[in-house]
Amino acid sequence: MEKPSIAASGLLARGHFFVHVSAFVDEPAQIGEGSRIWHFCHVMAGARVGRRCVLGQNVFVAGGVAIGDDVRIQNNVSLYEGTIVEDAVFLGPSCVLTNVTNPRAEVSRRGAFERTLIRRGATVGANATIVCGVTVGRYAFVGAGAVVTRDVPDYALVTGVPARRVGWMSRHGQKLPRPDAEGVMQCPESGLRYRLEAGGVRCLDIDEEAPIAADERGAGMPYLGRGEGAR
């Protein structure tokens, strides 16, 4: 039986992308150039996927979902209507995002979907749950298994159930040390400096919307979540 979806040739007027033969991309959906959609995925009509994204096995993207460029979505993740994922976000395996706070099988909430916003560069760890209606800030890091019930500040590291801030993370995914007398923290991997200010953290050396330089995207160093310099 012929599949009612875009074929695995992955050709649209907007450019070239790859869709595995077992995946479905319903028309009309927007898929950016260089993106890869792997086994058993389903992207519904009206969804928008940016450039150079990777959707791992068994990813579901509902209509109305917007995904930015350079996003990595690992296996078994479902994005429901109302979800907005900005550029360079990492969604770990089997993490959960919802769109209704008080679902009932007998009550239709289709006109009341809540927005969940995952901002640029954020990471959501494996099996974490993001309760709908919250914003996960730029370059925030949600630990594996955490349950996020309220907004997460930029660069915050949150863990636990419910999730609580336990530190600050650099853009390179390293836990930042305690601030010095001027409120400055330095990433142990990249050397980029961050300042603790009222309401959160900002990077002093690179614009919040600018990507990491190409020559700084190598294997890097292991995560320094414990030990010297990672308090």
Side-chain angles (χ1 to χ4, degrees):
M1 183 174 67
E2 185 178 352
K3 293 170 61 175
S5 61
I6 296 171
S9 61
L11 179 63
L12 274 182
R14 289 180 172 270
H16 296 273
F17 61 92
F18 170 80
V19 179
H20 190 268
V21 67
S22 67
F24 284 83
V25 178
D26 298 335
E27 297 188 48
Q30 297 181 37
I31 310 296
E33 183 174 359
S35 288
R36 290 171 286 169
I37 299 173
W38 289 102
H39 308 66
F40 314 120
C41 290
H42 185 187
V43 179
M44 294 189 68
R48 187 169 76 249
V49 178
R51 298 169 297 173
R52 301 177 301 276
C53 293
V54 177
L55 277 60
Q57 180 172 300
N58 197 36
V59 169
F60 170 75
V61 182
V65 170
I67 299 172
D69 298 337
D70 301 304
V71 172
R72 301 290 182 267
I73 304 176
Q74 301 299 294
N75 295 357
N76 306 314
V77 176
S78 293
L79 302 180
Y80 299 106
E81 187 173 343
T83 302
I84 301 172
V85 179
E86 293 186 347
D87 296 347
V89 165
F90 181 93
L91 299 179
S94 301
C95 69
V96 176
L97 294 92
T98 63
N99 63 1
V100 176
T101 297
N102 57 335
R104 291 292 198 192
E106 295 179 305
V107 180
S108 174
R109 309 282 190 203
R110 289 198 60 84
F113 290 151
E114 298 172 62
R115 188 184 79 156
T116 300
L117 174 60
I118 313 296
R119 302 219 58 191
R120 178 185 175 85
T123 290
V124 178
N127 292 299
T129 297
I130 310 297
V131 174
C132 57
V134 305
T135 295
V136 178
R138 293 185 185 92
Y139 301 100
F141 199 106
V142 177
V147 177
V148 174
T149 60
R150 57 186 179 181
D151 291 351
V152 178
D154 294 355
Y155 296 103
L157 169 63
V158 299
T159 62
V161 180
R164 295 287 186 267
R165 190 184 66 78
V166 295
W168 302 103
M169 295 288 275
S170 75
R171 292 183 63 165
H172 285 73
Q174 300 293 351
K175 192 172 182 182
L176 292 168
R178 292 192 182 99
D180 62 19
E182 297 181 349
V184 174
M185 303 171 287
Q186 188 169 33
C187 173
E189 178 174 346
S190 67
L192 293 177
R193 298 169 303 144
Y194 299 81
R195 174 170 284 142
L196 183 61
E197 300 179 344
V201 166
R202 71 178 183 91
C203 184
L204 299 177
D205 299 318
I206 186 172
D207 186 87
E208 306 291 359
E209 296 298 329
I212 294 174
D215 59 356
E216 295 181 354
R217 298 184 185 184
M221 61 193 301
Y223 172 63
L224 300 179
R226 300 179 179 86
E228 187 64 29
R231 299 175 180 83

